[in-house]
Amino acid sequence: MPSSFTDILRCPATGQELVKDGAVLRTFDGKHAYPIADGVPVLVDANLSVFSPDEVLRREYIAEKVSKRRELVRRLLPGRSISLGTEDRYERFAAITRAASGGRRALVLVVGGGRLGDGMATIADDPLIQFIETDVYLGPRVTVVCDGHHLPFAGESFDGVIIQAVLEHVLDPIRVVAEIHRVLRPDGAVYAETPFMQQVHEGAFDFTRWTESGHRRLFRMFSELDRGAVAGPGTALLWSLCYFARSLPPNRSRAVLLLDKLTEMTFFWLTYLDKILISRQAAVDGASGVYFLGRKALDPLTDREIIGGYRGAVGRPVHHGE
């Protein structure tokens, strides 16, 4: 376990500092203890999370195998989604966090970092940034196992936080974003990508979607640097076609996934239309996914400001008194 970040680790239940005691991390009063698996702290409290340390340890091998299988499929088959501009935004995010670090190596938290996110390869090896990658399972990229609802880190510890394709899978996204705000240093940066028009893709762990305006409200405690659609109507249409194909065979039929993949391979070209459509006003209303890049702020954006900031093409905001 690297010593460069252990001083910011905290008990997810109490926020107390942790001390290493053999193969566990304990609070000073000894009431809470968390295992260390192959150098990775498993900072999950079963009383606060739907996960438990025992479950995490049992899932290690399965999670890694699934991750490798998904990566192989991603390389061999056309993708269902295309993220536009993500690499450029990651480079901007990296520049902001490096500048905010005051000359030291910037510390960036990745929530849901079990695998490298789309577009993140451009900054993953930046020598001026140390990434703390977290997830709810053990995996080759995971530095700390934790639940995003209770981030086990001291307040104001990070220069930046990345949360890509994660918020739809958490039970309480408002709390997760509040935790991100808590662990960010003043003027720290956040970068988020989250689905809008996408069907269920993580089974029972798939809960919520956001319009672009709803996503902005979720991050209302952050000042805005950039926001918009990351994947447009073409990608949204492909998702709908694939899930329409999934619904044709009887339940639990092996043909479900076969039809899904055949549809994806047949209509993958729809995603490339987004390169043309993404800049159009109506694309915000039919986006497959949205993004937000911002800085930690002290005062929330008001709901009136959020409504007034709508960027789509469906009418315009109506204000009282008009």
Side-chain angles (χ1 to χ4, degrees), residues 300-318:
L301 198 67
T302 68
D303 285 339
R304 186 177 292 273
E305 289 172 319
I306 291 167
I307 294 169
Y310 167 67
R311 297 179 176 181
V314 182
R316 69 183 186 90
V318 176

Side-chain angles (χ1 to χ4, degrees), residues 24-306:
V24 299
L25 288 168
R26 300 185 186 277
T27 54
F28 285 109
D29 59 14
K31 293 182 178 179
H32 298 271
Y34 305 94
I36 301 171
D38 295 328
V40 177
V42 181
L43 300 181
V44 176
D45 189 303
N47 295 317
L48 298 174
S49 174
V50 294
F51 305 99
S52 69
D54 289 342
E55 181 184 16
V56 169
L57 296 175
R58 288 197 302 270
R59 291 181 63 199
E60 176 183 10
Y61 178 75
I62 297 173
E64 189 169 345
K65 293 284 282 187
V66 169
S67 177
K68 289 181 178 179
R69 192 181 306 123
R70 284 180 179 172
E71 288 301 318
L72 179 62
V73 171
R74 283 160 59 88
R75 292 192 186 102
L76 294 178
L77 296 178
R80 181 170 303 169
S81 299
I82 180 170
S83 297
L84 299 173
T86 297
E87 291 186 359
D88 293 339
R89 288 188 291 272
Y90 269 135
E91 289 179 353
R92 185 180 178 189
F93 169 87
I96 293 168
T97 56
R98 289 194 300 265
S101 67
R104 55 176 170 71
R105 194 180 184 197
L107 193 60
V108 171
L109 173 67
V110 183
V111 180
R115 70 170 183 85
L116 197 63
D118 292 341
M120 194 176 165
T122 58
I123 64 169
D125 297 321
D126 190 324
L128 298 179
I129 299 177
Q130 179 182 358
F131 290 95
I132 306 300
E133 295 168 275
T134 68
D135 218 313
V136 293
Y137 61 83
L138 287 160
R141 297 197 64 87
V142 175
T143 314
V144 177
V145 174
C146 65
D147 187 323
H149 297 87
H150 303 276
L151 292 175
F153 304 101
E156 300 187 356
S157 295
F158 294 94
D159 300 294
V161 176
I162 293 169
I163 183 161
Q164 185 178 26
V166 173
L167 285 168
E168 72 271 30
H169 302 309
V170 303
L171 290 163
D172 188 350
I174 294 175
R175 180 179 177 85
V176 172
V177 174
E179 280 288 273
I180 290 171
H181 189 272
R182 179 184 66 82
V183 301
L184 271 174
R185 295 189 175 111
D187 291 327
V190 62
Y191 181 68
E193 287 185 0
T194 314
F196 171 30
M197 294 287 199
Q198 291 181 12
Q199 284 76 10
V200 171
H201 51 268
E202 200 68 35
F205 292 94
D206 201 324
F207 304 103
T208 319
R209 299 293 186 270
W210 285 269
T211 63
E212 201 247 6
S213 294
H215 200 238
R216 181 64 187 97
R217 190 174 191 277
L218 185 63
F219 287 92
R220 62 190 178 276
M221 285 300 301
F222 297 82
S223 61
E224 177 185 322
L225 299 175
D226 194 12
R227 66 183 170 102
V230 68
T235 300
L237 178 56
L238 178 57
W239 274 78
S240 293
L241 288 171
C242 289
Y243 276 74
F244 172 77
R246 278 183 175 222
S247 69
L248 296 176
N251 291 341
R252 300 185 181 277
S253 168
R254 291 183 179 179
V256 169
L257 293 182
L258 177 61
L259 280 173
D260 178 277
K261 287 301 174 187
L262 285 174
T263 304
E264 184 178 285
M265 294 174 68
T266 303
F267 295 102
F268 74 91
W269 53 270
L270 287 169
T271 63
Y272 293 97
L273 294 178
D274 285 344
K275 293 184 177 181
I276 301 171
L277 301 175
I278 200 76
S279 62
R280 299 182 180 177
Q281 192 175 21
V284 170
D285 299 317
S288 176
V290 296
Y291 72 87
F292 177 78
L293 174 65
R295 289 184 187 272
K296 181 176 181 176
L298 295 178
D299 299 315
L301 198 67
T302 68
D303 285 339
R304 186 177 292 273
E305 289 172 319
I306 291 167

